């Protein structure tokens, strides 16, 4: 279901939940039952998960002021190979 917004001249804005693509250009106002025209508004983007929001803000900030690397990261220790790997056939 999609949320469509309509504006009544007397009562103001109201929302209607309808299947996607089935919204008429004119809908009856739920309060005064007069014809209300459909209004195109921005989608509700406030329900973005906090981790995604943080990642998007970091990505946006890095475009204007990227972090400068002053040294190489510490090298990770390599694990010794598993003993079973030595018994595998070699090409």
């Amino acid at each position: 279901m999609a949320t469509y917004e309509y504006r009544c001249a007397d009562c103001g804005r109201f929302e209607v939940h309808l299947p996607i693509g089935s919204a008429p250009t004119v809908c009856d106002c739920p309060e005064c039952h007069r014809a209300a025209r459909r209004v195109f508004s921005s989608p509700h983007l406030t329900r973005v998960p906090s981790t995604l929001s943080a990642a998007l803000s970091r990505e946006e900030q890095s475009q204007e002021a990227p972090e400068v690397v002053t040294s190489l990261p510490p090298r990770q220790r390599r694990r010794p190979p598993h003993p079973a790997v030595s018994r595998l056939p070699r090409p």
Side-chain angles (χ1 to χ4, degrees), residues 4-81:
Y4 295 97
E5 191 173 357
Y6 290 88
R7 184 178 163 277
C8 176
D10 296 333
C11 305
R13 293 181 180 223
F14 63 93
E15 294 179 347
V16 178
H17 300 284
L18 298 169
I20 294 176
S22 66
T25 56
V26 177
C27 181
D28 290 338
C29 175
E31 293 182 23
C32 66
H33 302 290
R34 293 182 60 188
R37 296 201 51 88
R38 184 172 168 195
V39 177
F40 291 94
S41 59
S42 62
H44 298 285
L45 299 175
T46 57
R47 292 188 177 146
V48 176
S50 60
T51 53
L52 177 61
S53 175
L56 290 173
S57 65
R58 274 194 316 271
E59 187 268 338
E60 185 176 320
Q61 183 182 8
S62 71
Q63 291 177 356
E64 295 178 16
E67 293 181 17
V68 178
V69 177
T70 58
S71 64
L72 293 175
R75 219 173 156 178
Q76 293 182 355
R77 291 181 15 177
R78 288 188 61 164
R79 292 186 194 170

